[in-house]
Amino acid sequence: MSWRVANTCAERKFGSATRKQIIMFLADKASDDGSGIWCSKGTIQRHTELGETTVKRTVREFLKEGILVETGARTCKNGFTVVYRIDLARIEALELTAEPEIETGATVDPVQTGPGTGATVAGLPGPPRPPNHPKTIHKPPTREREAAEDEEAEKILAAYPPDRLRGKAECLGRIRDILDAGTEVEDLLQAVKAYATESAGFTRSKVCFSDNWFKSGRWRAYVEDIAVNREQSKAKEAEMLAGLANWVTDKHPLCRHITPGQIDALLAAELVTQAQIQAAGIRS
């Protein structure tokens, strides 16, 4: 746990109570530089008691905004868990929650900057103003996030074969529903592209129009294939990193072929330490 990261996040506005709750949970898992956050979306959901869809969508937003950065993956009982880093520079650029101090000029009896003591009875001070007294005037919600989601849906629909587009408004609505249910934007985009490539030579009697394709859930098989391929890639990457970690611990001569990117991945996955890297004669 890093008090520095937690305090930095606590002093900033994130746009909603849900976003603030999730970033504070992640900050609780971070090192002082914001790195080393190793917890699945299911873990976040269980501890924050938020909906799974909400957690996935919020993490996706943080990644898109650069607040979170994926730095690697670690093995777990269910396969692999992504390792995140909180970008402190991005956090510090956010609006502060504290109110600005307002100069009121000199007075004969200067007003104390601390909380008032209230009325007194028999010389005893009254209760001070509670520290959580709300004074912030919240800004009305903007449509920036909605515009970003519309842009994502438009991008996905634009990848569908143009000769089979039908019912644009319905398609965009179904795409947004699919994304809100937890499907990643890039996964759905790749699913549409895969279908477009696969069906390029189909006759008109075999093709599927866009409204039916999204409505009937034909995209699911492609998304599932993408997930399987991703897990296989992660497994191969984990296997490769395990082999590189063995080279480092054994100080194998082949260590000189390990790239800087692989060193970063090994450190992020906590498979080796900086001391072991240096002992193996590798430049970090």
Side-chain angles (χ1 to χ4, degrees):
M1 175 181 180
S2 170
W3 286 107
R4 176 174 179 266
V5 179
N7 288 339
T8 301
C9 292
E11 294 171 352
R12 265 69 183 181
K13 294 183 179 180
F14 288 86
S16 72
T18 297
R19 286 165 59 90
K20 188 66 167 278
Q21 186 175 354
I22 291 176
I23 198 67
M24 290 304 299
F25 177 79
L26 295 174
D28 185 59
K29 306 297 181 184
S31 302
D32 283 343
D33 61 352
S35 65
I37 303 172
W38 178 40
C39 57
S40 66
K41 296 181 182 67
T43 300
I44 300 172
Q45 186 269 329
R46 287 193 301 274
H47 284 268
T48 61
E49 299 185 36
L50 296 168
E52 183 178 358
T53 300
T54 299
V55 171
K56 289 182 178 179
R57 182 172 61 249
T58 303
V59 170
R60 187 168 65 236
E61 289 172 358
F62 284 155
L63 289 170
K64 185 176 180 180
E65 295 165 13
I67 292 174
L68 282 183
V69 180
E70 292 186 2
T71 60
R74 290 187 61 178
T75 57
C76 64
K77 64 180 181 180
N78 295 323
F80 298 91
T81 299
V82 177
V83 180
Y84 297 106
R85 173 175 61 83
I86 293 177
D87 191 329
L88 295 178
R90 290 275 188 177
I91 300 296
E92 291 169 353
L94 297 176
E95 182 181 357
L96 288 167
T97 58
E99 292 182 341
E101 294 184 1
I102 302 175
E103 298 293 338
T104 59
T107 60
V108 176
D109 295 317
V111 178
Q112 296 181 357
T113 58
T117 57
T120 60
V121 178
L124 297 176
R129 187 180 67 208
N132 62 341
H133 180 69
K135 298 181 82 174
T136 302
I137 300 175
H138 296 283
K139 298 178 180 179
T142 66
R143 297 185 59 84
E144 291 181 1
R145 194 176 306 165
E146 293 180 9
E149 292 175 354
D150 290 342
E151 184 179 346
E152 292 172 346
E154 290 274 7
K155 181 180 179 181
I156 291 170
L157 187 59
Y160 204 87
D163 59 326
R164 300 169 226 164
L165 288 175
R166 187 174 66 185
K168 180 179 179 180
E170 180 184 352
C171 291
L172 292 176
R174 293 195 179 277
I175 290 172
R176 284 191 289 268
D177 289 342
I178 293 169
L179 297 180
D180 287 343
T183 300
E184 300 292 338
V185 174
E186 189 60 28
D187 287 355
L188 188 56
L189 177 60
Q190 292 304 317
V192 173
K193 290 181 177 180
Y195 169 72
T197 301
E198 178 186 287
S199 61
F202 285 7
T203 62
R204 190 171 181 81
S205 61
K206 292 184 178 180
V207 299
C208 185
F209 283 93
S210 57
D211 53 349
N212 287 334
W213 196 79
F214 289 108
K215 179 180 179 180
S216 63
R218 293 184 62 174
W219 52 271
R220 286 193 178 90
Y222 296 93
V223 170
E224 289 170 359
D225 288 341
I226 291 170
V228 169
N229 292 334
R230 181 186 297 115
E231 291 303 320
Q232 291 176 347
S233 297
K234 287 181 179 179
K236 291 179 180 178
E237 181 182 359
E239 184 178 355
M240 177 198 69
L241 289 178
L244 295 178
N246 289 335
W247 286 3
V248 173
T249 53
D250 295 341
K251 301 178 183 178
H252 197 283
L254 290 176
C255 284
R256 66 179 182 273
H257 297 297
I258 299 178
T259 66
Q262 290 171 334
I263 294 174
D264 291 341
L266 287 169
L267 292 172
E270 298 182 3
L271 294 175
V272 297
T273 64
Q274 189 69 49
Q276 289 174 314
I277 291 288
Q278 294 173 350
I282 307 173
R283 281 187 173 184
S284 60

